[in-house]
Amino acid sequence: QQQEEPLPVYSLPTEEVSAFRTPVQLRETSQGVTIINEKAIAARNPASAVELFQQIPGIQIDQVGNAGGQGNIYIRGSEPNHTLILIDGVRLNDPTNNRGGGYDLSSLDPSSIERVEIIRGAGSAMYGADAMGGIVNIVTRSPTDDPSLAASGEYGWRDTARLAANASAKFGPISASVG
């Protein structure tokens, strides 16, 4: 009689999630958390931020019209105004917007994103009503020590084109990154 091999034991790496008010280790939360790191973003090679979010479980993103049209994100069926969008910890939802305060993701360049943290479920106790459906924290790339410039261009079907450029530098205590 053949003996079955034991199933391999996988240990999840500990990740720090900064979308919480104070950074916590990933193993400390019971909420659904997805982290997309720089390596995963490069592997997907998304043409837009909308395309980057399209294959994440528990998230629906729509884009009105063609490329560049307003892109709204829905977490677990909530409205876009109930999903808090943070870029480098800065709240982007507009409470004075008559559409409810959702943020348009279509203007965000994916080549400037270092990491995306998505927390599914209510975060309204910490962040207010904007976070009833969840929180999306987008961490942008830090400027490099040496001046750098990167550019890319694409041309595709039906004469669609995309150009992207990033410049990054540190000058003493001042650092800048433009994409």
PDB file of all heavy atoms in Angstrom, residues 148-165:
ATOM      1  N   SER A 148      17.743  60.135 -13.108  1.00  0.00           N
ATOM      2  CA  SER A 148      17.391  59.102 -14.080  1.00  0.00           C
ATOM      3  C   SER A 148      16.219  59.575 -14.930  1.00  0.00           C
ATOM      4  O   SER A 148      15.412  60.396 -14.502  1.00  0.00           O
ATOM      5  CB  SER A 148      17.036  57.790 -13.379  1.00  0.00           C
ATOM      6  OG  SER A 148      15.848  57.942 -12.640  1.00  0.00           O
ATOM      7  N   LEU A 149      16.167  59.032 -16.119  1.00  0.00           N
ATOM      8  CA  LEU A 149      15.096  59.349 -17.056  1.00  0.00           C
ATOM      9  C   LEU A 149      14.693  58.057 -17.750  1.00  0.00           C
ATOM     10  O   LEU A 149      15.546  57.292 -18.187  1.00  0.00           O
ATOM     11  CB  LEU A 149      15.576  60.377 -18.098  1.00  0.00           C
ATOM     12  CG  LEU A 149      14.592  60.769 -19.193  1.00  0.00           C
ATOM     13  CD1 LEU A 149      13.387  61.476 -18.592  1.00  0.00           C
ATOM     14  CD2 LEU A 149      15.266  61.656 -20.219  1.00  0.00           C
ATOM     15  N   ALA A 150      13.407  57.814 -17.796  1.00  0.00           N
ATOM     16  CA  ALA A 150      12.897  56.622 -18.485  1.00  0.00           C
ATOM     17  C   ALA A 150      11.742  57.053 -19.382  1.00  0.00           C
ATOM     18  O   ALA A 150      10.929  57.888 -18.995  1.00  0.00           O
ATOM     19  CB  ALA A 150      12.423  55.585 -17.476  1.00  0.00           C
ATOM     20  N   ALA A 151      11.696  56.496 -20.563  1.00  0.00           N
ATOM     21  CA  ALA A 151      10.630  56.828 -21.506  1.00  0.00           C
ATOM     22  C   ALA A 151      10.191  55.565 -22.229  1.00  0.00           C
ATOM     23  O   ALA A 151      10.988  54.647 -22.439  1.00  0.00           O
ATOM     24  CB  ALA A 151      11.111  57.870 -22.509  1.00  0.00           C
ATOM     25  N   SER A 152       8.928  55.525 -22.598  1.00  0.00           N
ATOM     26  CA  SER A 152       8.417  54.395 -23.372  1.00  0.00           C
ATOM     27  C   SER A 152       7.313  54.891 -24.286  1.00  0.00           C
ATOM     28  O   SER A 152       6.672  55.904 -24.023  1.00  0.00           O
ATOM     29  CB  SER A 152       7.896  53.287 -22.450  1.00  0.00           C
ATOM     30  OG  SER A 152       6.767  53.731 -21.739  1.00  0.00           O
ATOM     31  N   GLY A 153       7.122  54.155 -25.348  1.00  0.00           N
ATOM     32  CA  GLY A 153       6.063  54.491 -26.294  1.00  0.00           C
ATOM     33  C   GLY A 153       5.455  53.230 -26.873  1.00  0.00           C
ATOM     34  O   GLY A 153       6.141  52.213 -27.012  1.00  0.00           O
ATOM     35  N   GLU A 154       4.179  53.291 -27.172  1.00  0.00           N
ATOM     36  CA  GLU A 154       3.479  52.154 -27.755  1.00  0.00           C
ATOM     37  C   GLU A 154       2.555  52.657 -28.854  1.00  0.00           C
ATOM     38  O   GLU A 154       2.019  53.756 -28.766  1.00  0.00           O
ATOM     39  CB  GLU A 154       2.643  51.434 -26.687  1.00  0.00           C
ATOM     40  CG  GLU A 154       3.439  50.849 -25.563  1.00  0.00           C
ATOM     41  CD  GLU A 154       2.564  50.256 -24.472  1.00  0.00           C
ATOM     42  OE1 GLU A 154       1.325  50.254 -24.617  1.00  0.00           O
ATOM     43  OE2 GLU A 154       3.115  49.801 -23.457  1.00  0.00           O
ATOM     44  N   TYR A 155       2.404  51.844 -29.857  1.00  0.00           N
ATOM     45  CA  TYR A 155       1.473  52.154 -30.937  1.00  0.00           C
ATOM     46  C   TYR A 155       0.694  50.884 -31.220  1.00  0.00           C
ATOM     47  O   TYR A 155       1.269  49.794 -31.277  1.00  0.00           O
ATOM     48  CB  TYR A 155       2.226  52.611 -32.186  1.00  0.00           C
ATOM     49  CG  TYR A 155       1.318  52.988 -33.319  1.00  0.00           C
ATOM     50  CD1 TYR A 155       0.674  54.218 -33.325  1.00  0.00           C
ATOM     51  CD2 TYR A 155       1.082  52.113 -34.364  1.00  0.00           C
ATOM     52  CE1 TYR A 155      -0.175  54.564 -34.353  1.00  0.00           C
ATOM     53  CE2 TYR A 155       0.237  52.449 -35.402  1.00  0.00           C
ATOM     54  CZ  TYR A 155      -0.399  53.676 -35.392  1.00  0.00           C
ATOM     55  OH  TYR A 155      -1.251  54.011 -36.406  1.00  0.00           O
ATOM     56  N   GLY A 156      -0.621  51.007 -31.347  1.00  0.00           N
ATOM     57  CA  GLY A 156      -1.408  49.794 -31.487  1.00  0.00           C
ATOM     58  C   GLY A 156      -2.553  49.907 -32.455  1.00  0.00           C
ATOM     59  O   GLY A 156      -2.621  50.807 -33.299  1.00  0.00           O
ATOM     60  N   TRP A 157      -3.445  48.976 -32.290  1.00  0.00           N
ATOM     61  CA  TRP A 157      -4.601  48.799 -33.154  1.00  0.00           C
ATOM     62  C   TRP A 157      -5.450  50.064 -33.193  1.00  0.00           C
ATOM     63  O   TRP A 157      -5.597  50.758 -32.200  1.00  0.00           O
ATOM     64  CB  TRP A 157      -5.397  47.610 -32.613  1.00  0.00           C
ATOM     65  CG  TRP A 157      -6.545  47.170 -33.431  1.00  0.00           C
ATOM     66  CD1 TRP A 157      -6.516  46.729 -34.710  1.00  0.00           C
ATOM     67  CD2 TRP A 157      -7.899  47.100 -33.031  1.00  0.00           C
ATOM     68  NE1 TRP A 157      -7.767  46.385 -35.128  1.00  0.00           N
ATOM     69  CE2 TRP A 157      -8.646  46.601 -34.102  1.00  0.00           C
ATOM     70  CE3 TRP A 157      -8.561  47.409 -31.852  1.00  0.00           C
ATOM     71  CZ2 TRP A 157     -10.004  46.419 -34.045  1.00  0.00           C
ATOM     72  CZ3 TRP A 157      -9.917  47.214 -31.795  1.00  0.00           C
ATOM     73  CH2 TRP A 157     -10.628  46.729 -32.887  1.00  0.00           C
ATOM     74  N   ARG A 158      -5.992  50.372 -34.350  1.00  0.00           N
ATOM     75  CA  ARG A 158      -6.837  51.552 -34.582  1.00  0.00           C
ATOM     76  C   ARG A 158      -6.126  52.852 -34.214  1.00  0.00           C
ATOM     77  O   ARG A 158      -6.709  53.763 -33.640  1.00  0.00           O
ATOM     78  CB  ARG A 158      -8.153  51.439 -33.818  1.00  0.00           C
ATOM     79  CG  ARG A 158      -9.044  50.359 -34.347  1.00  0.00           C
ATOM     80  CD  ARG A 158     -10.423  50.500 -33.793  1.00  0.00           C
ATOM     81  NE  ARG A 158     -11.273  49.468 -34.349  1.00  0.00           N
ATOM     82  CZ  ARG A 158     -12.568  49.415 -34.160  1.00  0.00           C
ATOM     83  NH1 ARG A 158     -13.170  50.330 -33.444  1.00  0.00           N
ATOM     84  NH2 ARG A 158     -13.270  48.448 -34.681  1.00  0.00           N
ATOM     85  N   ASP A 159      -4.863  52.892 -34.499  1.00  0.00           N
ATOM     86  CA  ASP A 159      -4.051  54.091 -34.295  1.00  0.00           C
ATOM     87  C   ASP A 159      -4.028  54.577 -32.844  1.00  0.00           C
ATOM     88  O   ASP A 159      -3.968  55.778 -32.574  1.00  0.00           O
ATOM     89  CB  ASP A 159      -4.510  55.229 -35.217  1.00  0.00           C
ATOM     90  CG  ASP A 159      -4.254  54.905 -36.674  1.00  0.00           C
ATOM     91  OD1 ASP A 159      -3.250  54.213 -36.947  1.00  0.00           O
ATOM     92  OD2 ASP A 159      -5.046  55.331 -37.535  1.00  0.00           O
ATOM     93  N   THR A 160      -4.093  53.658 -31.883  1.00  0.00           N
ATOM     94  CA  THR A 160      -3.966  54.062 -30.486  1.00  0.00           C
ATOM     95  C   THR A 160      -2.492  54.192 -30.152  1.00  0.00           C
ATOM     96  O   THR A 160      -1.660  53.430 -30.634  1.00  0.00           O
ATOM     97  CB  THR A 160      -4.623  53.043 -29.533  1.00  0.00           C
ATOM     98  OG1 THR A 160      -4.033  51.767 -29.754  1.00  0.00           O
ATOM     99  CG2 THR A 160      -6.116  52.981 -29.751  1.00  0.00           C
ATOM    100  N   ALA A 161      -2.168  55.176 -29.351  1.00  0.00           N
ATOM    101  CA  ALA A 161      -0.781  55.419 -28.984  1.00  0.00           C
ATOM    102  C   ALA A 161      -0.706  55.755 -27.503  1.00  0.00           C
ATOM    103  O   ALA A 161      -1.655  56.282 -26.921  1.00  0.00           O
ATOM    104  CB  ALA A 161      -0.210  56.564 -29.806  1.00  0.00           C
ATOM    105  N   ARG A 162       0.428  55.427 -26.900  1.00  0.00           N
ATOM    106  CA  ARG A 162       0.671  55.738 -25.494  1.00  0.00           C
ATOM    107  C   ARG A 162       2.124  56.108 -25.336  1.00  0.00           C
ATOM    108  O   ARG A 162       3.010  55.374 -25.757  1.00  0.00           O
ATOM    109  CB  ARG A 162       0.338  54.544 -24.619  1.00  0.00           C
ATOM    110  CG  ARG A 162       0.607  54.760 -23.157  1.00  0.00           C
ATOM    111  CD  ARG A 162       0.206  53.523 -22.348  1.00  0.00           C
ATOM    112  NE  ARG A 162       0.694  53.631 -21.015  1.00  0.00           N
ATOM    113  CZ  ARG A 162       1.793  53.046 -20.532  1.00  0.00           C
ATOM    114  NH1 ARG A 162       2.500  52.271 -21.318  1.00  0.00           N
ATOM    115  NH2 ARG A 162       2.177  53.214 -19.307  1.00  0.00           N
ATOM    116  N   LEU A 163       2.365  57.244 -24.716  1.00  0.00           N
ATOM    117  CA  LEU A 163       3.716  57.695 -24.416  1.00  0.00           C
ATOM    118  C   LEU A 163       3.819  57.901 -22.916  1.00  0.00           C
ATOM    119  O   LEU A 163       2.886  58.402 -22.291  1.00  0.00           O
ATOM    120  CB  LEU A 163       4.031  59.011 -25.127  1.00  0.00           C
ATOM    121  CG  LEU A 163       3.999  58.975 -26.653  1.00  0.00           C
ATOM    122  CD1 LEU A 163       4.141  60.381 -27.213  1.00  0.00           C
ATOM    123  CD2 LEU A 163       5.106  58.083 -27.183  1.00  0.00           C
ATOM    124  N   ALA A 164       4.926  57.515 -22.329  1.00  0.00           N
ATOM    125  CA  ALA A 164       5.141  57.714 -20.892  1.00  0.00           C
ATOM    126  C   ALA A 164       6.585  58.087 -20.660  1.00  0.00           C
ATOM    127  O   ALA A 164       7.488  57.597 -21.346  1.00  0.00           O
ATOM    128  CB  ALA A 164       4.803  56.446 -20.129  1.00  0.00           C
ATOM    129  N   ALA A 165       6.805  58.968 -19.694  1.00  0.00           N
ATOM    130  CA  ALA A 165       8.164  59.366 -19.336  1.00  0.00           C
ATOM    131  C   ALA A 165       8.217  59.637 -17.838  1.00  0.00           C
ATOM    132  O   ALA A 165       7.263  60.140 -17.261  1.00  0.00           O
ATOM    133  CB  ALA A 165       8.576  60.611 -20.104  1.00  0.00           C
TER     134      ALA A 165
END
